[in-house]
Amino acid sequence: DVKVTQSSRYLVKRTGEKVFLECVQDMDHENMFWYRQDPGLGLRLIYFSYDVKMKEKGDIPEGYSVSREKKERFSLILESASTNQTSMYLCASYGPGTYEQYFGPGTRLTVT
Amino acid sequence: SQKIEQNSEALNIQEGKTATLTCNYTNYSPAYLQWYRQDPGRGPVFLLLIRENEKEKRKERLKVTFDTTLKQSLFHITASQPADSATYLCALDEDSSASKIIFGSGTRLSIRP
């Protein structure tokens, strides 16, 4: 079974802090994604990556950056956390020949 | 750009009945459409994928239809059970490259005993 893990289930940070969210998948998938999910807005794509060191902006990249130094790991960085970044963050991946995404359990981030 | 509408925010039905959820999209016809299940506080879980040249797909008690004329997909759960209570998301490719997908905001399904 594909496993996607995220570094934390719950995280509380202060405004202005730099925040790192880590995602690791164990199925050698090329494609990895970061979403945020907010009530009434659904899943919105922040960034995605098709390969190591490659990244593409999604629909809401402002205030975020990403890093993909190894194929299995995709990190989301909040350079200076703000209260409007309080959300559920979900990582996903999929492999070649399929479009079904495998999601991690999510990180609920609260910025105070 | 492509937009998705899942018509109902919430749907409540009696156990044993068939639940039918709707997903409508605008603009071009996607190459494929997917349905996911999400439980509270968890990540979505893939259920079914249907391609543009397929009219219907089944998996156990689940059935998905895809009508490119109506720009609509229907998701059915037959013989529904309280354990089927969850939020169901539809998703489809955002553009003709089929390189990334967008999600609807979901329909929260509640099955009462």
Side-chain angles (χ1 to χ4, degrees):
Chain A
D1 278 352
V2 175
K3 196 160 180 188
V4 180
T5 57
Q6 294 183 227
S7 47
S8 307
R9 290 300 307 272
Y10 300 94
L11 208 52
V12 180
K13 295 291 182 181
R14 293 193 180 275
T15 301
E17 279 193 84
K18 191 168 185 174
V19 182
F20 292 87
L21 302 181
E22 302 282 335
C23 174
V24 178
Q25 49 90 8
D26 66 358
M27 282 302 291
D28 205 34
H29 285 171
E30 290 85 3
N31 306 290
M32 297 189 74
F33 301 78
W34 273 107
Y35 297 90
R36 64 177 283 177
Q37 186 174 34
D38 302 287
L41 295 177
L43 281 160
R44 292 182 291 165
L45 182 64
I46 305 172
Y47 267 96
F48 60 104
S49 169
Y50 291 139
D51 205 346
V52 175
K53 298 196 185 295
M54 288 185 60
K55 59 185 179 185
E56 297 278 348
K57 291 181 181 179
D59 300 317
I60 50 163
E62 296 78 21
Y64 304 94
S65 62
V66 290
S67 171
R68 185 128 182 239
E69 296 297 318
K70 292 186 179 181
K71 192 173 186 180
E72 67 271 18
R73 188 181 298 270
F74 192 33
S75 303
L76 180 69
I77 302 148
L78 287 66
E79 295 290 341
S80 177
S82 63
T83 54
N84 63 12
Q85 292 178 309
T86 291
S87 186
M88 168 72 98
Y89 289 87
L90 288 155
C91 173
S93 72
Y94 74 81
T98 175
Y99 297 109
E100 54 182 272
Q101 298 204 357
Y102 293 87
F103 282 84
T107 296
R108 185 162 295 282
L109 173 68
T110 302
V111 182
T112 62
Chain B
S1 61
Q2 188 72 282
K3 284 190 166 65
I4 301 178
E5 281 181 7
Q6 291 190 248
N7 291 15
S8 303
E9 276 194 22
L11 188 63
N12 295 293
I13 67 165
Q14 183 77 39
E15 182 177 7
K17 302 288 187 188
T18 296
T20 298
L21 285 63
T22 304
C23 176
N24 293 295
Y25 57 92
T26 61
N27 301 337
Y28 81 98
S29 276
Y32 58 90
L33 191 145
Q34 303 179 50
W35 284 89
Y36 289 78
R37 170 185 173 138
Q38 187 174 24
D39 292 289
R42 312 286 291 267
V45 175
F46 171 80
L47 295 174
L48 280 168
L49 179 149
I50 186 166
R51 297 186 183 275
E52 59 181 334
N53 60 350
E54 297 174 316
K55 296 290 186 193
E56 183 180 295
K57 203 88 171 267
R58 290 177 186 259
K59 180 182 175 184
E60 298 173 352
R61 294 184 296 111
L62 308 180
K63 184 178 87 171
V64 172
T65 62
F66 194 3
D67 189 326
T68 54
T69 303
L70 293 178
K71 297 190 175 181
Q72 182 179 82
S73 174
L74 298 179
F75 176 79
H76 307 271
I77 305 175
T78 57
S80 59
Q81 305 165 1
D84 295 325
S85 298
T87 296
Y88 291 86
L89 309 172
C90 76
L92 46 81
D93 51 296
E94 186 177 68
D95 57 33
S96 55
S97 70
S99 57
K100 60 178 180 163
I101 67 173
I102 57 171
F103 286 82
S105 54
T107 295
R108 190 172 64 252
L109 176 65
S110 297
I111 310 295
R112 59 181 185 276

